Amino acid sequence: MTGHETAQGPKHKRDLTRRKVVVAGAGAVVAAGVGGSFAAGAFAGEGTTAAKGTTAGTSGETSGETSGEACYKLTSETTEGPYYIDADKLRRDVTEDQEGIPLTLRLKVIDSDTCKPLANAAVDIWHCNALGVYSGYESMGSGGGGGGGTPPSGTPTGTPTGAPPGGGGGGGGGVHEGPTDDKRYLRGTWRTDKKGEVVFRTVFPGWYQGRCVHIHTKVHVNGTWTDAGYEGGTTCHTGQLFFDEASVLATAEVEPYSTNTAARTTLDEDTIYPGNGTEGGLLKLKYKKGAIAKGVVATLTMGVDPEATQDGTGDSVQPGASASASAS
């Protein structure tokens, strides 16, 4: 796949394209059918509201103003970036042996037109580790550019200027890169339950030069869950999930994040984040103030158009992502 971007709208009712998710170990598909015990109570009280510009409060609860009509808005589409691997592992816990702050990622997928949950959709997530390295692309180094800089402080040092620096691989302009190794940590695919909910266990992502802290995601619908995984269907959403600055700065005090010397880009400086709060993928975070190392719970309701094709590789990217920006 390629990652060139335009501002055209989605193309509806395209012919189905085949995709396949490789099952990670015996019994994975059977486990998928359970619907995910992690998700029990994950969105209690959330309803169809969404908080904008949230930060962690003194008790660890999120805060910010809400909008009762947020569920009617499409979650912003972005480029898939150069490090997507189609045929990932079918699993909820993607941590493997990666060190970092435990992160429970709770996503709810709804039809943006009806607000009804989308059950049995396949949701992909993938992101870099605490030091900015993507599995499958370890030879690329930190985000394909990395290097230099200092750990985060109140004054960021990594102002985005386009594609990541060369010399170490990279994903200039979001052009897809073929994997360079067989590592697959911090990547996985799982199905939404009857409430449209899916929960992943991972670690809080780190950062690399040219991008703020983020997680990539895709939503696939109309496919079939088989003994071989998830096949067929269309990709109706490709986006990125983002973290507020206060939380990122808090992680920078914790190892191994504190050893990450890559220059950092803030949320506001990032060229991919649309700047529109939860509609643009800004996660609602919950953690104990002063003890973020114990773990973070991140939630978001994503409104998608199940009839659209939004694969993030060209014609489906909405304004908010520059064609010349780093899309990794």
Side-chain angles (χ1 to χ4, degrees):
M1 297 182 181
T2 60
H4 300 294
E5 307 169 27
T6 71
Q8 296 180 16
K11 292 184 178 180
H12 293 265
K13 299 182 180 179
R14 287 184 178 177
D15 292 336
L16 296 184
T17 56
R18 181 179 178 82
R19 71 181 300 276
K20 189 172 183 179
V21 178
V22 178
V23 177
V29 172
V30 175
V34 175
S37 59
F38 289 163
F43 299 88
E46 181 181 354
T48 58
T49 63
K52 295 187 177 182
T54 59
T55 58
T58 55
S59 65
E61 298 290 340
T62 55
S63 61
E65 61 181 276
T66 61
S67 170
E69 297 183 354
C71 68
Y72 293 96
K73 298 178 181 178
L74 281 168
T75 299
S76 300
E77 301 294 325
T78 66
T79 176
E80 74 171 22
Y83 304 127
Y84 177 60
I85 300 176
D86 187 16
D88 238 341
K89 292 185 176 181
L90 190 65
R91 58 187 181 177
R92 290 177 293 181
D93 190 335
V94 303
T95 309
E96 292 193 16
D97 59 352
Q98 293 300 299
E99 297 182 356
I101 296 169
L103 176 68
T104 300
L105 179 63
R106 295 173 172 171
L107 302 175
K108 183 173 184 177
V109 184
I110 62 172
D111 185 318
S112 63
D113 184 44
T114 66
C115 290
K116 292 182 178 180
L118 289 183
N120 296 318
V123 179
D124 296 330
I125 65 164
W126 70 102
H127 62 86
C128 69
N129 66 11
L131 300 181
V133 176
Y134 282 88
S135 65
Y137 301 88
E138 289 186 344
S139 67
M140 300 289 191
S142 176
T150 58
S153 64
T155 304
T157 57
T159 302
T161 56
V175 177
H176 185 263
E177 300 277 350
T180 61
D181 58 69
D182 60 1
K183 299 293 182 62
R184 295 295 183 268
Y185 53 80
L186 307 182
R187 297 176 178 273
T189 302
W190 199 251
R191 71 189 300 172
T192 57
D193 63 16
K194 64 182 180 181
K195 296 180 180 179
E197 299 171 2
V198 62
V199 181
F200 292 97
R201 304 288 190 184
T202 185
V203 298
F204 203 104
W207 60 90
Y208 50 90
Q209 187 173 350
R211 287 302 316 279
C212 68
V213 176
H214 64 283
I215 293 175
H216 294 265
T217 187
K218 282 180 179 282
V219 178
H220 312 275
V221 294
N222 300 321
T224 303
W225 295 92
T226 72
D227 290 341
Y230 186 79
E231 301 183 4
T234 53
T235 302
C236 69
H237 174 66
T238 298
Q240 296 184 26
L241 311 175
F242 300 93
F243 299 80
D244 64 79
E245 282 299 299
S247 302
V248 173
L249 288 172
T251 66
E253 303 297 322
V254 180
E255 290 188 357
Y257 305 90
S258 59
T259 67
N260 187 346
T261 60
R264 187 179 69 87
T265 297
T266 69
L267 183 69
D268 289 340
E269 292 175 323
D270 191 74
T271 55
I272 301 299
Y273 173 56
N276 53 350
T278 52
E279 185 183 347
L282 184 62
L283 292 162
K284 297 163 62 177
L285 305 181
K286 179 180 178 180
Y287 58 89
K288 187 175 181 180
K289 186 177 181 180
I292 196 171
K294 293 184 177 180
V296 178
V297 176
T299 62
L300 186 70
T301 296
M302 299 189 297
V304 304
D305 179 355
E307 295 186 354
T309 296
Q310 299 278 17
D311 57 14
T313 60
D315 58 6
S316 61
V317 181
Q318 295 174 353
S322 169
S324 63
S326 164
S328 56

